[in-house]
Amino acid sequence: MSAREERPALTSRTASLHDYALFRHGIDPDARVPRKGFPLPEGPPEPEPRREGLTWRQARAEVADALTPLLADPDPVRAAEAVHRRVAELALPHRTLRAHAARLALTDEDAARRTAQRLIRTGTDVAAVDVGMALLIRLGEPEDVPCLKALGTLRGLADAASAALDPLDRQAAALLVLRSRDRSEALTPLTDAVASGDTEAVRSALLALPDERALWDPRRIAEAADLRGLLRERPRDADLLALTGRLLHRMACQHDGRPAILDYLPARAVYEALVRHADALPPTPEHRSLLLSIAVDLHSGAPVLLNWRPGRRRALLDALDRLLPETASAPAAGAAPGDRHADWFRRTRHLPFTRTEGGDRPRWEVVVVVHDPGDSPAVETRILVAGLPLVPALFGKGRGNPPEYLLDSGRLRAHPEPHEVQLVEAYCTEGCCGALYVTIRRDGDEVVWDGWRGVVGPLPPPMRFDAAAYDAELARAEGDHSWCWPARSTARLIAAGLRDRPELTARWELAPAWIGTDWQDPDTTVVHLRYRPTAPPAGTRGSLFFDWRLPDGDGPPGERAAAALRRLETDDPKDFAAYAGGDRELAEALGLVERPSGPEA
């Protein structure tokens, strides 16, 4: 008799969710786990309970009052039954329940651990099992791994199971995350290969990832595939090394949240393996740009915050310095004149390898980083204190503000009168996830940074810098335009001209909103102007925006900027710039419609 025939059908009334998950696997061991997981025993889950008007703080108090005494019970059977009843009575969304259960102040961790283990093995209700997995995030033991892996295959339980698995089995946790969140199914061949245990199939699936969009969770991809183990087996596999570089660089990015590299446990070992064998990469322009991006990350990005052995990170940078050619003597093969990648390499080559005359970093340092055009057109200002980057250390939800905002404006200059400066805004805007601010003041022969706002985690103590060294470093950074390309230089010169002559736009009832280069086309300068009429048509209010685009052309940036400023003396930008949105009623009253963006007419 087959296993399918021997096993009776199970339901949540006769078996735990764990036993049901084992049953689903047993009836078809070779079946692929669906992206959303196997359906629950009683079919599609009912809508989660919600209580209107209940605040996050009130929910936290209710969970603590309801569960803390139960979890101190030394009898796990009795405690688990009581937890089942109480979570049903709380009627909270599962995510809210998990979040607060994971942070409970426990009076007896051993008793709570036994109850949590009982819940995940015998629980028949999703909410109660969620509580057990939430507790095991900090109380779990290796013996819990098989149970958590099984529960993670059920619909709605993957997130809780992966969180509990993270401290115990990173690969299993990563596999659950990738399988449950891969909406495009681009990673299905990889997750299938990992599940099969076939190392060669895992390597092939990694290298076959269709494009950069498939690397949406580089840390989980590296963990699921056991990238460190693959590199041990194939240390000079050029294709694998190139993919390793791409994954590390994506992990170091902090565009939309905490850099994943800080949570990737083998990070230092994988960096070591990549740099040690980087000479196995063919010397193509793409590989050279990738290695230079890795060097920039190791110099001033989030990877600096990893727990490096003394001198080891500097040794990796020295090795990359020896490996990468100087563009003057060895231009990138195949690079056409004016190629943005070649220009970026030339402008950036010196950045991660420059040392001060004394051989050490200054205590306060400013680094302007332009990302590889193939990666991102972003330009950010990185502030290093004692060699450590402030933004990922204190905030980590976005890149540092651009140099036009921090340097060209003089915002970082220190005066006796304190002033507050925004160092970074969250990628989703300050109104959503905040921003990082510091107050700068001069105190005698020192510059003081304190009054922090928006810090994620403990507030840092006041930072004091030698005023002379601070001023010298800031003057160097403000005068160093080596990172800038022609269109960006044109934008900066236009912005400087309008700061000196605000009447050029004020006469047209306009003001600069921002001036920079187009995100999709970095060789186009964009002057973004805000129009707020002093006498708006009756019944209208608000403002409108106009984009004046200046594609890169002949002539040096200084001449192009001067010509743009001269045009503002005689021509109203509202007549030639593209209407870019704003108050609808005002736009309709003025007869404006959005014009297609493109080269200036």
Side-chain angles (χ1 to χ4, degrees):
M1 184 176 289
S2 69
R4 182 190 297 268
E5 295 169 334
E6 289 176 353
R7 288 189 165 189
L10 299 176
T11 73
S12 61
R13 295 179 181 177
T14 62
S16 68
L17 291 178
H18 173 236
D19 285 344
Y20 172 74
L22 295 179
F23 167 74
R24 289 302 305 246
H25 177 71
I27 61 175
D28 195 353
D30 298 325
R32 174 183 293 167
V33 179
R35 183 179 70 81
K36 293 184 178 181
F38 291 119
L40 294 172
E42 295 183 341
E46 296 181 359
E48 292 187 19
R50 296 189 181 277
R51 292 163 54 190
E52 295 297 331
L54 185 69
T55 68
W56 187 258
R57 179 175 295 181
Q58 290 169 338
R60 180 177 61 190
E62 287 194 15
V63 172
D65 291 344
L67 299 186
T68 303
L70 304 181
L71 295 172
D73 188 338
D75 184 341
V77 176
R78 182 173 59 215
E81 291 176 353
V83 168
H84 265 82
R85 292 192 297 271
R86 290 297 285 127
V87 296
E89 294 167 359
L90 286 171
L92 291 172
H94 297 165
R95 184 175 180 180
T96 302
L97 187 62
R98 288 198 304 266
H100 294 313
R103 295 169 174 81
L104 287 174
L106 303 171
T107 57
D108 187 338
E109 288 194 350
D110 288 336
R113 178 183 295 107
R114 292 192 297 270
T115 299
Q117 291 170 333
R118 174 79 181 176
L119 285 168
I120 67 170
R121 286 165 175 80
T122 66
T124 59
D125 177 75
V126 170
V129 173
D130 270 344
V131 168
M133 291 192 286
L135 292 167
L136 292 179
I137 292 173
R138 53 183 162 135
L139 303 176
E141 297 177 328
E143 66 189 57
D144 302 321
V145 168
C147 182
L148 293 168
K149 289 170 65 175
L151 288 170
T153 64
L154 298 183
R155 184 163 299 176
L157 296 183
D159 285 349
S162 62
L165 281 168
D166 249 343
L168 305 170
D169 188 331
R170 279 293 180 94
Q171 185 176 36
L175 186 59
L176 279 180
V177 170
L178 295 181
R179 183 184 286 145
S180 64
R181 299 182 187 174
D182 182 24
R183 295 182 180 179
S184 68
E185 298 188 352
L187 297 178
T188 297
L190 176 62
T191 55
D192 286 349
V194 172
S196 74
D198 185 337
T199 303
E200 185 56 41
V202 171
R203 174 191 175 275
S204 298
L206 265 180
L207 299 181
L209 291 177
D211 53 38
E212 292 296 318
R213 288 173 294 179
L215 304 183
W216 51 266
D217 198 336
R219 173 172 73 92
R220 295 301 192 179
I221 290 173
E223 290 171 344
D226 185 16
L227 182 62
R228 184 183 183 186
L230 289 174
L231 288 170
R232 283 203 197 101
E233 294 182 11
R234 303 169 175 82
R236 296 188 65 78
D237 182 328
D239 292 335
L240 187 59
L241 287 169
L243 180 63
T244 297
R246 290 164 56 209
L247 288 170
L248 287 174
H249 184 50
R250 293 293 291 268
M251 280 189 258
C253 174
Q254 61 183 72
H255 166 61
D256 56 0
R258 174 180 166 86
I261 197 70
L262 301 179
D263 298 314
Y264 182 47
L265 300 183
R268 289 174 298 157
V270 174
Y271 273 117
E272 295 263 7
L274 172 64
V275 176
R276 185 182 308 118
H277 301 290
D279 62 314
L281 289 169
T284 64
E286 293 76 16
H287 289 156
R288 290 173 178 173
S289 293
L290 176 61
L291 292 178
L292 183 55
S293 295
I294 292 291
V296 172
D297 293 338
L298 289 170
H299 170 259
S300 59
V304 177
L305 300 175
L306 298 172
N307 188 25
W308 296 97
R309 290 176 294 161
R312 193 58 206 148
R313 183 170 57 87
R314 183 74 253 176
L316 294 181
L317 285 170
D318 288 343
L320 289 170
D321 190 11
R322 292 189 296 269
L323 185 64
L324 290 170
E326 295 288 350
T327 54
S329 57
D339 181 86
R340 287 208 303 266
H341 296 273
D343 290 342
W344 172 83
F345 190 96
R346 174 183 54 77
R347 293 194 312 270
T348 309
R349 169 62 178 82
H350 70 285
L351 180 63
F353 310 118
T354 301
R355 297 189 187 216
T356 60
E357 293 182 2
D360 297 321
R361 293 174 181 269
R363 176 163 173 72
W364 185 83
E365 186 176 0
V366 181
V367 180
V368 176
V369 171
V370 181
H371 294 258
D372 179 357
D375 173 38
S376 164
V379 182
E380 62 177 305
T381 308
R382 296 178 178 176
I383 308 295
L384 308 181
V385 175
L388 300 179
L390 279 186
V391 167
L394 301 180
F395 189 68
K397 296 180 183 178
R399 298 185 177 105
N401 280 327
E404 289 90 346
Y405 181 85
L406 290 175
L407 297 177
D408 293 355
S409 66
R411 283 182 170 90
L412 294 180
R413 295 174 189 170
H415 310 286
E417 185 68 23
H419 66 283
E420 190 177 62
V421 178
Q422 184 197 83
L423 298 179
V424 56
E425 179 183 20
Y427 71 99
C428 52
T429 73
E430 180 176 0
C432 181
C433 287
L436 178 65
Y437 288 87
V438 66
T439 296
I440 302 175
R441 60 187 169 89
R442 187 177 297 271
D443 183 12
D445 60 356
E446 291 184 322
V447 171
V448 182
W449 282 30
D450 59 7
W452 296 93
R453 283 202 300 126
V455 172
V456 176
L459 286 176
M463 299 178 183
R464 293 182 172 270
F465 313 108
D466 177 80
Y470 183 99
D471 291 343
E473 170 62 8
L474 185 56
R476 180 204 63 76
E478 289 178 344
D480 181 7
H481 303 156
S482 61
W483 59 269
C484 210
W485 63 100
R488 193 82 173 207
S489 294
T490 300
R492 296 177 78 196
L493 291 169
I494 292 173
L498 293 180
R499 281 196 299 271
D500 294 338
R501 301 175 62 192
E503 71 278 3
L504 289 178
T505 51
R507 72 181 60 188
W508 311 114
E509 298 184 296
L510 294 166
W514 65 268
I515 302 173
T517 48
D518 184 83
W519 187 261
Q520 300 296 332
D521 181 10
D523 288 331
T524 295
T525 300
V526 180
V527 181
H528 191 59
L529 298 166
R530 180 178 184 176
Y531 170 58
R532 177 176 288 174
T534 56
T540 67
R541 60 180 181 176
S543 55
L544 304 176
F545 295 92
F546 295 84
D547 280 344
W548 181 16
R549 301 170 59 86
L550 294 87
D552 199 9
D554 296 333
E559 293 180 3
R560 303 191 72 242
L565 294 172
R566 285 195 301 270
R567 184 171 188 182
L568 290 174
E569 294 176 351
T570 58
D571 296 346
D572 185 346
K574 296 189 292 296
D575 293 335
F576 58 81
Y579 167 57
D583 183 79
R584 178 180 297 179
E585 293 180 352
L586 177 59
E588 291 176 352
L590 298 177
L592 291 171
V593 294
E594 293 191 28
R595 283 175 256 177
S597 60
E600 178 196 358

